[in-house]
Amino acid sequence: MRTQDPANVSSPGFLHAKAWAEAYELIDLQLSPLGLKPIEALGLDLRDVVLDVGCGTGQTLLQLAERVGAEGQVIGVDVSPLLLEIAKQRTEPLGQVRLIRADAQFLDLPSECVDAVFSRFGVMSFSDPVAAFANFRRILKPSGALAFSCWRSLRDNELDHLPLTAAGIQATVDESPFSFADPEYIRRTLEAAGFREIVIQSHDEKVSSGDLDATTWVLLKVGPLGKLIRENPVLRATAEPRLRNALAALGDPSRVQLSASIWIVTARAGAAIR
């Protein structure tokens, strides 16, 4: 889950949220197919109530709302007020969407109040993952389901390691987005939180933020390289031309594609079938 100090505009969390807010439309192009996989795995019905953990700027809220219909409900939670403001604007016409600003691992919703818990890359940074998922299980109905996408390792993800290699920056990379790279760690965490019927499937897909200009811009703002440059802006002058050349060498400059490697994780709160 993303964390930030709203009072400190130079904090890593604020810089991350600001970069995401500036590039969210192109990021949505890149991540949408990777989030739709766990949404499809949930098999949502009309009138279901769904919790979206780390909803960010709201694309997944829109996708979930379409599936549960006007009589369902989608509860989006995120720690960033900046991202939630964009989500609010995007979902304002939808009466079934409710937004909560909170650290999801401490979310204080009633027990057994939702049919499903979903996340697109919003569950990898909890300070206590077992406690966080135990809280989600508490919030789920006994027949409820959990589904999320998370990154496999950095080395498995061309989307992340190619920009770093191309830029040639010698620096320590933040590994927290890849904290769920080990499937056995995921399984142990969910089992300890009380989940059953845990299924962890690998998925690889080429993703794109658009043409060469768009992709270069996005990768300099978010992801492992983007984080290094956000916190060390002086690196951009060297990194940008190198990254651009590496992306141009991939082929079609009108639609640059990079491989993403993820886990699609599903589990049940109890033995009952929805």
Side-chain angles (χ1 to χ4, degrees):
M1 182 66 184
R2 294 177 291 271
T3 58
Q4 72 177 83
D5 177 3
N8 184 357
V9 296
S10 63
S11 70
F14 182 86
L15 293 174
H16 174 273
K18 182 174 181 290
W20 200 279
E22 292 170 350
Y24 77 88
E25 292 173 310
L26 295 177
I27 297 171
D28 280 351
L29 284 177
Q30 180 190 102
L31 297 185
S32 180
L34 306 179
L36 287 173
K37 295 297 181 180
I39 289 178
E40 292 164 359
L42 281 172
L44 295 169
D45 294 325
L46 294 175
R47 298 183 294 278
D48 274 350
V49 180
V50 187
L51 173 64
D52 184 348
V53 176
C55 65
T57 57
Q59 183 185 45
T60 53
L61 297 172
L62 298 170
Q63 294 166 337
L64 291 165
E66 182 180 3
R67 285 159 176 79
V68 302
E71 295 182 27
Q73 186 179 28
V74 182
I75 304 168
V77 58
D78 202 285
V79 76
S80 169
L82 183 60
L83 301 185
L84 282 175
E85 182 58 34
I86 296 172
K88 179 181 177 182
Q89 294 170 10
R90 298 176 79 183
T91 62
E92 198 161 12
L94 302 177
Q96 72 267 50
V97 175
R98 171 188 173 196
L99 299 176
I100 300 173
R101 183 191 166 200
D103 186 333
Q105 63 187 322
F106 305 117
L107 187 61
D108 187 20
L109 287 176
S111 298
E112 300 183 6
C113 69
V114 306
D115 298 290
V117 173
F118 161 83
S119 184
R120 185 181 78 183
F121 306 117
V123 299
M124 293 92 71
S125 299
F126 295 129
S127 59
D128 187 339
V130 173
F133 280 100
N135 191 36
F136 300 152
R137 183 175 177 272
R138 177 191 64 80
I139 293 168
L140 274 167
K141 296 175 182 178
S143 60
L146 166 76
F148 63 87
S149 56
C150 60
W151 300 111
R152 297 198 336 246
S153 70
L154 172 62
R155 67 178 178 272
D156 287 337
N157 273 279
E158 182 185 40
L159 179 65
D160 295 311
H161 71 67
L162 183 145
L164 288 168
T165 301
I169 296 174
Q170 301 299 316
T172 301
V173 175
D174 177 16
E175 291 281 351
S176 59
F178 309 99
S179 64
F180 274 17
D182 179 358
E184 289 309 308
Y185 173 73
I186 299 173
R187 187 177 302 279
R188 290 195 303 270
T189 299
L190 295 182
E191 287 176 345
F195 281 94
R196 306 181 183 183
E197 300 180 36
I198 300 162
V199 178
I200 304 170
Q201 295 181 310
S202 63
H203 177 71
D204 299 278
E205 185 162 347
K206 293 278 190 179
V207 297
S208 177
S209 291
D211 63 15
L212 179 60
D213 290 339
T215 303
T216 302
W217 187 69
V218 168
L219 294 175
L220 290 168
K221 295 185 79 67
V222 298
L225 176 60
K227 185 176 190 298
L228 290 173
I229 290 176
R230 288 196 306 270
E231 297 172 13
N232 304 275
V234 69
L235 298 175
R236 182 177 183 122
T238 300
E240 183 167 2
R242 292 176 176 176
L243 174 61
R244 186 179 180 87
N245 288 339
L247 295 176
L250 295 177
D252 184 1
S254 67
R255 188 168 186 266
V256 178
Q257 297 186 88
L258 293 167
S259 296
S261 298
I262 66 172
W263 298 117
I264 300 167
V265 182
T266 58
R268 306 206 67 81
I273 298 175
R274 293 178 61 229

